[in-house]
Amino acid sequence: MVSGYRFLVADDHPLFRGALKTALSGMDGDSDIREAGDFEGVKALADEDVDLVLLDLSMPGVSGLSGLMTLRGMHPTVPVAVVSAHDDPETIRRALDLGASGFISKSAGMDEIRRAVGVILGGGIYTPEDIDLGLETDPEIADLIHRLQMLTPQQTRVLGMLAEGLLNKQIAYELSVSEATIKAHVSAVLQKLGVDSRTQAVIRLSRISADSIALES
């Protein structure tokens, strides 16, 4: 394997971050491994030079699959592997539908973690073996995921900031664009989600977060 990979390990449990680092360090090559224990740290450390983010679904500052969406909106070309203790088909399928490049169970051994990372770095999609992902059985979630898939990366970032409670002028400052541009993005987000207000948009997004975070607890 080519040396010089850059990884970002994002998990609020130091022992599990250490286990992931051990797995990644055991791969061929001299890799740069960054660590984040909360989502603010993830946003600060993630950039286009990272080859793979290994993202826990639940950590301070974020809950559920909304973190995956935010990260995909910020850096759409950077692969993200969701790492979760709850590896049911629904969670895996939804993570992949929302842009994850793979799913690694927290029960996976070192060899499987390395194999998963190798598949993703090679441009593939990794899922645990012998799992039938099936089809989404919740019509509301299926519709929501379809609508979220229609958002552009910038619209996804704006939606994430709306969920954080930021005002248009605050979002404009964070993204270094005009407030008018943000208003246009918000209008597009509301239209694509089929809602009439920012509050309704955040409530719809929370459905994804609530379902996945409940699975994690």
Side-chain angles (χ1 to χ4, degrees), residues 147-164:
R147 291 176 180 275
L148 291 172
Q149 289 171 334
M150 294 191 295
L151 300 179
T152 66
Q154 193 77 319
Q155 289 166 0
T156 299
R157 291 189 68 183
V158 169
L159 176 59
M161 291 179 175
L162 291 178
E164 293 175 11

Side-chain angles (χ1 to χ4, degrees), residues 59-166:
M59 66 179 67
V62 73
S63 63
L65 292 167
S66 60
L68 168 64
M69 287 189 55
T70 296
L71 197 55
R72 297 292 298 138
M74 292 176 63
H75 304 291
T77 64
V78 176
V80 179
V82 168
V83 182
S84 175
H86 197 92
D87 52 10
D88 66 288
E90 288 77 17
T91 301
I92 299 173
R93 183 180 59 249
R94 292 170 186 177
L96 297 179
D97 286 344
L98 291 173
S101 294
F103 187 100
I104 302 172
S105 172
K106 284 194 173 183
S107 64
M110 294 291 180
D111 289 342
E112 183 179 350
I113 293 173
R114 292 168 184 150
R115 183 167 63 253
V117 170
V119 168
I120 297 170
L121 292 176
I125 302 293
Y126 182 84
T127 58
E129 297 180 357
D130 302 323
I131 288 186
D132 181 5
L133 298 183
L135 298 174
E136 181 61 58
T137 58
D138 185 327
E140 183 179 345
I141 291 293
D143 176 69
L144 175 57
I145 289 176
H146 173 69
R147 291 176 180 275
L148 291 172
Q149 289 171 334
M150 294 191 295
L151 300 179
T152 66
Q154 193 77 319
Q155 289 166 0
T156 299
R157 291 189 68 183
V158 169
L159 176 59
M161 291 179 175
L162 291 178
E164 293 175 11
L166 299 185

